[in-house]
């Protein structure tokens, strides 16, 4: 787990490297962030993986991993922070994902 914290005295930013395809890992990181700084007001869900081979090469597992990260990872991130944001009627989720089919 890699954790970096940036602060200017008023705003705390926590950057976490996580395997977004593992729901429990995403949930745990969000819980740790909430314990450290309180409410998560902005969540940048930056998950993305692209194929390094062609579909014709038969690398189905690579396609599955890309789907797990690019789609499930976004869903898991939203699921981890949305209930708190809805209960407070405030918060922003920024989803960044990419993928490439060849």
């Amino acid at each position: 787990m890699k954790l970096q914290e940036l602060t200017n005295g008023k705003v705390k930013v926590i950057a976490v490297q996580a395997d977004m395809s593992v729901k429990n890992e995403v949930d745990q990181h969000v819980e740790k962030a909430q314990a450290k700084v309180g409410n998560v007001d902005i969540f940048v869900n930056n998950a993305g993986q692209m194929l390094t081979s062609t579909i014709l090469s038969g690398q189905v597992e690579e396609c599955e991993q890309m789907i797990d990260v690019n789609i499930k990872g976004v869903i898991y991130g939203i699921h981890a922070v949305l209930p708190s944001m809805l209960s407070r009627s405030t918060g922003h989720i920024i989803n960044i994902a990419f993928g490439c089919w060849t």
Side-chain angles (χ1 to χ4, degrees):
M1 174 188 348
K2 183 178 177 183
L3 176 80
Q4 295 178 328
E5 185 175 332
L6 308 169
T7 184
N8 68 2
K10 296 178 184 178
V11 177
K12 281 193 174 182
V13 176
I14 296 176
V16 177
Q17 180 177 329
D19 183 344
M20 296 298 289
S21 69
V22 179
K23 185 180 182 313
N24 288 339
E25 188 171 333
V26 177
D27 291 339
Q28 289 173 4
H29 283 304
V30 170
E31 289 171 9
K32 287 178 184 176
Q34 289 171 330
K36 188 168 186 83
V37 300
N39 295 324
V40 174
D41 296 317
I42 301 171
F43 184 78
V44 179
N45 199 3
N46 186 15
Q49 178 176 340
M50 67 182 220
L51 295 175
T52 57
S53 63
T54 66
I55 291 175
L56 291 175
S57 69
Q59 298 297 325
V60 176
E61 295 83 13
E62 192 175 344
C63 292
E64 290 172 341
Q65 179 65 30
M66 183 183 72
I67 289 167
D68 287 348
V69 172
N70 293 5
I71 298 173
K72 290 180 182 177
V74 171
I75 292 168
Y76 296 159
I78 293 169
H79 182 263
V81 298
L82 188 59
S84 172
M85 290 180 176
L86 288 174
S87 71
R88 295 180 290 117
S89 297
T90 187
H92 300 280
I93 299 171
I94 301 166
N95 291 310
I96 303 170
F98 64 93
C100 180
W101 296 92
T102 57

